Amino acid sequence: MKIALYLRTYALFVVLMSVCLPLNSQSFNPEIENYSIKDYNADNQNWGIDVDSDGVVYVANNKGLLMYTGEVWKLFELPNNTIVRSVLVDQNRIYTGSYEEFGFWTKNSYGGIKYTSLVNKFDASHDFTNEQFWQITSYKEKIFFKSISGGIYVYDGDAIKYIENSVDTFDMVVYQNKLIIGNRSRGLLQVHNDKLIPYRGREDVLPKLDSINNVASVGEQLFFFDLKNGGFLYNSTLKKAKSLPKKINLFLYKSILNKATFLDEDTLIFGTIKEGLILYNIKLNTLKQINNISGLNNNTVLDLKFKQGLLWVALDNGLSKINFKSPFLFYKDDTGILGRVYDVVFFKNKYYLASNTGVYMLSKTRELKLIDNTEGHVWSLDIINNQLFVNHNEGSFVINSDTISEKIHSDGVYRMIKVPKKKNQYLQSTYTGIRLVRKNEKSWYSVSVKNISFLVNKIVFESDSVIWASHPYKGVFRIQLNKNYTEALKIKAYEKIQNHNLYQTKICKINDTILFYNSGLWFTYLKNKDSIVSYERFQKFNNKALISYGDKGGWLIDKENRITYFDENYLEINQIDMSEVKRRSVSGFEKIKAQNDSLRIINLNDGFALFTMNEIEEKDNKEVKTPIINRIYSKNKEFSINEFKLRIPYKDAQYLSFEISTPYLYGGGKYSYNLYGKINQNELFNKGKLTLQNLAYGDYVLAIKNNSIKEKISKIKELHFTVLPP
């Protein structure tokens, strides 16, 4: 699968943001997940990173080699306890470089790895010169180890050979079936028959450079950075090299370029010492910064690895994972002035944010501006008849040209809805009841609806003259209004449903059906019986509250802040279970608004997120991996994960544990298992850890499934084992 398939999210935020120098960190960013020493229990500095075919991550750390299965972190120390400076996964081996030491690790049958040093492959007369091996590259079935002070060593699987005149090599990359070398004293070189020669690209178009610090490649693109002349891009098809724009080179000098890699042929990413990550769009000549203000763990980038749409970043303090295959982009206020965001709308090509500190407008330049005289708590924003209404602690306002054009009244307002079949007439749910709002040719005016003097936080029309209103602590009310909507003719309170007090009941209307959500259960109103009963069609959505509904479906949220989308036939289409959304959601006030036919907006406690419906729906078509068993053990013994049918001694079956992961699903895996045999049981488990206890002797089949994946496409891992008689 081409890398470009994973970069539709990146293409979206290139369109959404206006990027220029100087860089503006207040912009849309992909999902970023950070890992600190509290997560992986080693040292803060991480020098190198690589990922194997199962998605297992290997990190060169000060304490040793870190391995992350996606659920569990493990640390493996070198025999001499030195710092691991580099790592490379090549087939079934993990190569590492250290101080005057390099070698490889191989997996054993118990889920661990074992180290083999290659130093004994050197001649007895070889003497290291205080060398540290900072980079490892695979090329034509050989492994190349690079130290800056010593040069390049080649391991062919049998012997080690030194490449002459390779001192001052700073970077290596495979390009067009050639191993390209960036050298600080000899320029751009290539390896030929284990010797260094000038790079034979197109000498007539390649500049004469002698201080190459970084090289990177993808397809026909080769990037190299010279310490004196800046960055260059060479295309083997176009047979031309071009210099990066001067302003970009100046920024790379200032921020100290350390690592570079391509995301695709149009996108180059720079890892810097001082400014975090810089994404360079080659076609547009624009830069996008992702740094600690954007959410990166640290601004000093020591290594990069891009695989399966995920960019892993090894940092001077921790690690970060940036998800470019996610359908989400995030806006986060880094000024601290915004506060908690209760609503977001896109109106006349601008974003408007309702927070507990006022209404803010986000312009095309991504400048956050407080709209004058809107200070205070804002509950919601409503776009009705191409007008933007602000529902505020101090009343309702109309926003026009980024200012308050009219103030309707001075009472606290939660929401405003249009009266059916009436032009320019609205009902407001307020702190003290319900108000009717009208507009004549010149101005707005409002009046209280008579006979309603209690707090109303939401209104839903059952019919043209009947509404339902909710009170947070007194239940729900069915109200008959007069034809002018100025008086409540009849009010009936519903304080309990099937022995549930109707506190914090949410009301909504879906396809002409009035629904109530209370205590995790769904109910509806039967007019012919004048009663509220369980709504059978929504029982599968119990413990999921509705946060949005439109013509083609709706959105639900559960107690763990996972968001589910269902279509017009009430079929679950997909689930959003993203740590960034869960961590930053506004509990009880989650909303999803449409920006256009596909783009959606979610309010967050310090900003908002964007995603496309197309990406959510296409997620089902992506490859799903089978869960992997990484380790099997009892309190006293380890068992092979490679056995076709395990034989477990009876005493070990009293407490038998399994460590599980799913390729390329990192953290948060929701698993279930079914055990078949003399004992039959099933249960859910989290964090990839399953323990079975007190198993009787006999034959068993253990079936494990990742519940984070939809039922129809999830894959099952089976393990057959026998518990021996006591």
Side-chain angles (χ1 to χ4, degrees):
M1 185 178 293
K2 295 182 178 179
I3 293 174
L5 291 177
Y6 292 118
L7 295 175
R8 283 172 287 191
T9 297
Y10 175 68
L12 172 62
F13 81 40
V14 168
V15 172
L16 287 171
M17 69 187 180
S18 174
V19 183
C20 58
L21 292 175
L23 294 173
N24 180 5
S25 61
Q26 268 191 222
S27 187
F28 293 101
N29 294 300
E31 181 188 18
I32 301 172
E33 185 168 0
N34 292 313
Y35 304 90
S36 69
I37 56 176
K38 291 182 180 179
D39 299 304
Y40 55 74
N41 196 29
D43 201 67
N44 58 332
Q45 285 183 310
N46 297 289
W47 299 99
I49 194 162
D50 206 356
V51 184
D52 72 12
S53 58
D54 286 328
V56 178
V57 181
Y58 297 91
V59 183
N61 183 272
N62 277 355
K63 290 281 186 71
L65 179 65
L66 284 168
M67 181 174 74
Y68 180 44
T69 64
E71 298 287 353
V72 176
W73 289 93
K74 294 182 181 180
L75 175 66
F76 300 90
E77 296 180 319
L78 288 168
N80 55 8
N81 293 320
T82 53
I83 295 172
V84 178
R85 298 291 190 184
S86 54
V87 60
L88 170 75
V89 177
D90 185 67
Q91 298 181 33
N92 61 343
R93 290 181 175 181
I94 304 101
Y95 290 90
T96 56
S98 183
Y99 175 73
E100 296 188 351
E101 170 69 44
F102 56 75
F104 61 86
W105 307 73
T106 51
K107 294 182 179 180
N108 61 34
S109 60
Y110 301 103
I113 54 177
K114 180 182 178 182
Y115 183 68
T116 301
S117 175
L118 292 174
V119 172
N120 58 5
K121 299 289 184 180
F122 285 99
D123 293 334
S125 60
H126 180 79
D127 186 24
F128 284 114
T129 57
N130 289 317
E131 296 174 55
Q132 302 212 49
F133 292 93
W134 295 95
Q135 188 179 11
I136 311 169
T137 301
S138 174
Y139 175 64
K140 290 189 174 179
E141 299 182 352
K142 296 179 181 180
I143 306 298
F144 292 74
F145 297 87
K146 177 215 78 180
S147 73
I148 297 171
S149 60
I152 302 173
Y153 299 85
V154 186
Y155 174 58
D156 63 4
D158 183 32
I160 292 175
K161 183 178 181 180
Y162 177 69
I163 295 183
E164 299 293 334
N165 301 316
S166 57
V167 173
D168 283 342
T169 293
F170 267 72
D171 209 355
M172 305 183 290
V173 72
V174 177
Y175 171 66
Q176 300 285 289
N177 204 31
K178 297 181 177 71
L179 182 57
I180 306 300
I181 303 297
N183 192 281
R184 277 196 179 180
S185 57
R186 298 176 59 195
L188 205 60
L189 308 170
Q190 72 179 73
V191 174
H192 180 69
N193 293 330
D194 293 339
K195 295 181 180 180
L196 290 186
I197 62 173
Y199 172 54
R200 308 293 188 187
R202 278 290 305 271
E203 294 179 357
D204 56 326
V205 297
L206 283 172
K208 303 294 183 182
L209 304 171
D210 59 10
S211 189
I212 303 296
N213 197 64
N214 298 92
V215 288
S217 71
V218 64
E220 297 172 345
Q221 294 267 47
L222 174 67
F223 165 77
F224 48 96
F225 187 81
D226 183 79
L227 292 178
K228 299 175 183 177
N229 300 284
F232 293 83
L233 283 166
Y234 172 68
N235 189 294
S236 61
T237 299
L238 300 177
K239 296 181 172 58
K240 60 189 283 189
K242 67 174 184 177
S243 173
L244 299 190
K246 183 178 179 180
K247 63 181 181 181
I248 294 177
N249 278 327
L250 287 174
F251 189 84
L252 293 179
Y253 282 126
K254 181 180 178 181
S255 59
I256 311 178
L257 176 63
N258 188 42
K259 294 288 179 179
T261 192
F262 281 90
L263 299 190
D264 64 1
E265 294 209 1
D266 295 326
T267 312
L268 184 58
I269 190 160
F270 304 118
T272 72
I273 295 298
K274 297 172 65 176
E275 300 289 347
L277 298 172
I278 313 295
L279 277 71
Y280 172 50
N281 186 288
I282 297 169
K283 286 185 176 180
L284 301 178
N285 269 333
T286 56
L287 296 183
K288 157 72 181 169
Q289 184 176 21
I290 299 177
N291 59 11
N292 63 333
I293 295 176
S294 312
L296 202 65
N297 218 22
N298 178 255
N299 276 349
T300 300
V301 177
L302 301 179
D303 199 19
L304 301 168
K305 178 63 179 183
F306 183 66
K307 190 165 185 177
Q308 293 283 330
L310 302 174
L311 180 68
W312 290 90
V313 188
L315 298 161
D316 190 59
N317 187 5
L319 298 157
S320 292
K321 173 172 61 71
I322 304 177
N323 190 351
F324 284 102
K325 66 181 178 180
S326 163
F328 285 85
L329 294 175
F330 295 88
Y331 173 84
K332 181 180 180 181
D333 169 49
D334 56 52
T335 66
I337 66 171
L338 178 58
R340 199 178 197 198
V341 178
Y342 283 81
D343 205 353
V344 184
V345 296
F346 188 72
F347 182 66
K348 294 186 177 179
N349 295 317
K350 296 174 185 176
Y351 293 99
Y352 291 86
L353 289 72
S355 86
N356 62 317
T357 62
V359 179
Y360 294 82
M361 183 268 294
L362 192 64
S363 66
K364 290 183 179 179
T365 60
R366 300 295 167 246
E367 293 181 8
L368 192 65
K369 176 187 174 185
L370 175 66
I371 296 177
D372 291 340
N373 300 316
T374 65
E375 293 89 344
H377 200 297
V378 185
W379 291 106
S380 61
L381 301 169
D382 290 307
I383 300 172
I384 307 174
N385 293 340
N386 202 33
Q387 291 181 300
L388 177 59
F389 296 92
V390 175
N391 303 306
H392 193 283
N393 191 51
E394 297 181 4
S396 288
F397 316 133
V398 180
I399 298 290
N400 188 21
S401 299
D402 303 332
T403 61
I404 294 177
S405 63
E406 295 181 76
K407 188 170 183 178
I408 299 174
H409 68 93
S410 300
D411 191 16
V413 178
Y414 291 107
R415 292 297 304 269
M416 176 181 283
I417 63 171
K418 188 179 180 302
V419 175
K421 302 177 184 178
K422 297 288 185 180
K423 185 178 180 181
N424 291 330
Q425 291 192 31
Y426 310 87
L427 289 184
Q428 292 178 321
S429 51
T430 79
Y431 294 3
T432 57
I434 297 175
R435 296 186 72 90
L436 172 67
V437 176
R438 295 176 180 171
K439 185 181 181 182
N440 57 30
E441 294 180 358
K442 294 183 179 180
S443 61
W444 295 86
Y445 68 96
S446 70
V447 295
S448 294
V449 176
K450 294 179 181 179
N451 302 325
I452 304 174
S453 58
F454 52 86
L455 181 152
V456 175
N457 58 8
K458 189 170 183 180
I459 302 168
V460 172
F461 273 92
E462 178 186 313
S463 63
D464 291 350
S465 60
V466 176
I467 62 171
W468 284 87
S470 61
H471 185 290
Y473 304 109
K474 294 184 178 180
V476 295
F477 301 83
R478 188 170 185 264
I479 303 172
Q480 174 76 47
L481 299 174
N482 65 359
K483 64 179 182 180
N484 295 322
Y485 301 95
T486 57
E487 182 180 357
L489 303 177
K490 183 179 180 182
I491 301 175
K492 182 173 181 178
Y494 298 80
E495 296 181 351
K496 286 190 175 184
I497 302 176
Q498 298 177 1
N499 297 320
H500 292 284
N501 288 322
L502 287 180
Y503 300 152
Q504 303 294 345
T505 296
K506 294 187 175 183
I507 56 174
C508 59
K509 185 177 182 180
I510 297 180
N511 297 333
D512 296 325
T513 301
I514 300 296
L515 297 179
F516 308 90
Y517 181 74
N518 177 272
S519 303
L521 303 174
W522 282 98
F523 303 90
T524 190
Y525 175 70
L526 295 182
K527 186 176 180 180
N528 58 343
K529 295 183 178 181
D530 187 27
S531 62
I532 295 176
V533 299
S534 294
Y535 186 50
E536 294 302 322
R537 202 169 183 186
F538 258 48
Q539 293 310 296
K540 60 184 176 182
F541 296 147
N542 282 345
N543 297 311
K544 295 178 181 180
L546 187 77
I547 57 177
S548 175
Y549 187 78
D551 295 335
K552 296 182 179 180
W555 300 91
L556 302 151
I557 190 166
D558 64 19
K559 293 180 180 179
E560 296 183 353
N561 291 334
R562 291 175 299 201
I563 298 173
T564 300
Y565 173 66
F566 65 93
D567 65 13
E568 61 268 31
N569 297 314
Y570 304 148
L571 297 176
E572 290 192 24
I573 300 299
N574 219 312
Q575 188 178 85
I576 300 169
D577 187 14
M578 305 199 71
S579 59
E580 188 90 349
V581 173
K582 293 166 68 174
R583 184 170 58 249
R584 295 169 57 192
S585 65
V586 185
S587 180
F589 296 93
E590 303 90 347
K591 297 181 179 72
I592 293 181
K593 296 284 188 74
Q595 179 169 328
N596 54 38
D597 287 345
S598 180
L599 199 60
R600 299 293 182 268
I601 311 169
I602 303 179
N603 64 306
L604 301 174
N605 57 28
D606 53 2
F608 62 97
L610 300 174
F611 67 95
T612 62
M613 289 295 296
N614 292 339
E615 286 286 340
I616 291 291
E617 290 165 1
E618 288 175 14
K619 187 178 177 183
D620 283 351
N621 299 324
K622 294 180 180 177
E623 182 182 5
V624 177
K625 301 282 188 177
T626 305
I628 295 172
I629 298 176
N630 297 302
R631 188 182 173 210
I632 306 170
Y633 59 98
S634 67
K635 289 184 176 180
N636 302 304
K637 188 175 180 180
E638 299 270 350
F639 296 94
S640 173
I641 59 176
N642 299 324
E643 291 286 341
F644 175 73
K645 187 172 182 180
L646 280 174
R647 293 168 62 83
I648 309 293
Y650 181 79
K651 63 178 181 179
D652 292 299
Q654 305 313 296
Y655 193 91
L656 188 63
S657 296
F658 303 82
E659 290 182 2
I660 316 295
S661 66
T662 304
Y664 298 103
L665 289 180
Y666 298 99
K670 311 293 180 182
Y671 294 90
S672 64
Y673 76 90
N674 281 280
L675 183 67
Y676 306 100
K678 217 164 191 181
I679 295 176
N680 294 291
Q681 61 189 42
N682 60 80
E683 202 170 352
L684 300 173
F685 64 99
N686 295 325
K687 298 182 180 180
K689 175 73 179 291
L690 164 65
T691 298
L692 303 176
Q693 298 185 54
N694 301 320
L695 295 180
Y697 71 88
D699 294 331
Y700 292 90
V701 177
L702 178 64
I704 299 169
K705 184 178 68 173
N706 190 315
N707 287 10
S708 301
I709 303 165
K710 287 191 64 179
E711 180 79 24
K712 65 179 182 180
I713 58 174
S714 59
K715 295 187 177 181
I716 294 174
K717 171 69 177 179
E718 285 192 355
L719 174 70
H720 296 254
F721 65 93
T722 298
V723 175
L724 302 176

